[in-house]
Structure formats: structure tokens, C-alpha cells
Amino acid sequence: MMQISSDSASNKHSLLNVMHRFIAAANNMDETIMVPSLLRDMPLEEQQLEANNNTTTTTEPPCNNSKQQRDMYEHYLLLKSIKNDMEWGLLKREMSSGASFLEMAVKQEEQKPLTGDLLEDNSDLENQFHYHLRGLFGVLSKLTLQADHLTNRYKREIGGGNFMR
């Protein structure tokens, strides 16, 4: 029987630790932002800097992609949704009949026909695992930074940085 070491939970580079840091940052964000509707129509700080740079250097209108259209409220909802998906998995989404990106990816993978390539795919499972693990670490680290940034920005905008956590 395999024994799980308690050292892996305390290792700052473990997947569990990265997941816990993101969930803690998202929970802190959720506890700090008491009135999420104040975030509506408030552009992300990076977008404000890009807009200022675009107006001073060029006369072209900024690109209209979805990333630039996202405001802090949508970003807040996205981070909460990802946290809920991590905590509850796909079962809660299925029960509420919502479709997350993760759920769609799993369904697409399940619908792929099984062929003779299955043995070849299994031989590369270790490489696939490490590839996706690196990606998961990167994404979770970025999401943690974004949750912290959103929390700090909310504190600055409402002027509550002195009396809040």
C-alpha cells in the first residue's frame, strides 16, 4: 500500500499547494469584495495603461477583442467560477445545467472514437501528464496573482486599503 507523505502538502511546489493558494486568494477576494456590482464598467488596470499608450502614440482605435472588453466585474465572476469548478468539480455544473470549459473539454475527449492508436497514446502518458501539469501550475499561478490584484485594486478604488485585511 502506498503511503502519502505529509511533506508533499508542505512543499511549496506541490500541485496541492498551488491549488490551495489560488483557492485562498479567491476566497480572500470574495470576502473583501462586499459589493461586486461596484466593479461593473471598471476596466482592468492593464487595459487603462494600454488605452493611454494607444491614444498618445497612434490614432488607430484599439482592437476590439474579448480580452480588452472584460471589466473587473466579469473578471471577478470568472475567478469565482474557476474556484467553484475546482472545489466542486463538474457534478455541480451538471446539476445546475451550466456548461464550463472544463466540462466541454471532458465531453469532447469522451466522444473521441477509440482506435488502434490507443496503445501509442498510452505510451506517451507520462509526457502528456508533465506537459499538462506544467500548464496547470502556470495557469493557477497566474489566476492567484489575478485574484490578489483584483482584491488590491478593489481596496484602492473604494479607499478601504487601510482598514481591510
Side-chain angles (χ1 to χ4, degrees):
M1 187 169 185
M2 189 163 144
Q3 186 176 6
I4 298 176
S5 170
S6 63
D7 294 338
S8 65
S10 63
N11 183 356
K12 71 177 187 173
H13 299 292
S14 76
L15 178 59
L16 292 175
N17 193 304
V18 173
M19 290 171 59
H20 287 297
R21 279 195 309 243
F22 167 68
I23 290 173
N27 284 337
N28 183 37
M29 174 190 75
D30 203 26
E31 291 170 5
T32 302
I33 299 174
M34 300 302 254
V35 186
S37 62
L38 291 176
L39 301 172
R40 287 190 190 274
D41 299 326
M42 190 180 295
L44 294 173
E45 204 166 49
E46 294 82 19
Q47 293 170 2
Q48 287 178 326
L49 293 174
E50 287 176 14
N52 291 342
N53 289 340
N54 283 343
T55 56
T56 57
T57 58
T58 64
T59 57
E60 295 178 30
C63 297
N64 288 331
N65 62 22
S66 62
K67 186 176 179 183
Q68 286 185 331
Q69 298 297 326
R70 183 168 288 162
D71 62 5
M72 285 181 61
Y73 180 74
E74 290 176 11
H75 201 65
Y76 168 80
L77 292 178
L78 174 72
L79 291 167
K80 277 188 66 162
S81 173
I82 291 170
K83 181 194 79 120
N84 287 338
D85 284 350
M86 285 179 63
E87 288 180 325
W88 296 100
L90 300 178
L91 181 62
K92 187 174 181 180
R93 285 261 184 183
E94 289 173 3
M95 290 172 30
S96 65
S97 72
S100 69
F101 176 75
L102 181 59
E103 181 181 13
M104 291 185 292
V106 168
K107 284 184 180 180
Q108 285 178 350
E109 197 64 33
E110 288 173 349
Q111 292 174 355
K112 287 184 180 177
L114 295 177
T115 62
D117 296 335
L118 189 60
L119 291 176
E120 293 172 16
D121 288 345
N122 284 338
S123 66
D124 197 36
L125 284 177
E126 184 178 3
N127 289 334
Q128 290 177 21
F129 171 76
H130 287 289
Y131 172 79
H132 290 290
L133 186 63
R134 278 189 299 273
L136 188 56
F137 269 93
V139 168
L140 287 172
S141 296
K142 288 177 185 177
L143 289 171
T144 302
L145 290 173
Q146 289 177 355
D148 288 339
H149 175 75
L150 188 67
T151 303
N152 293 333
R153 175 92 187 278
Y154 179 82
K155 288 178 183 180
R156 276 195 323 263
E157 292 293 328
I158 64 165
N162 294 335
F163 63 88
M164 293 187 145
R165 250 195 269 180

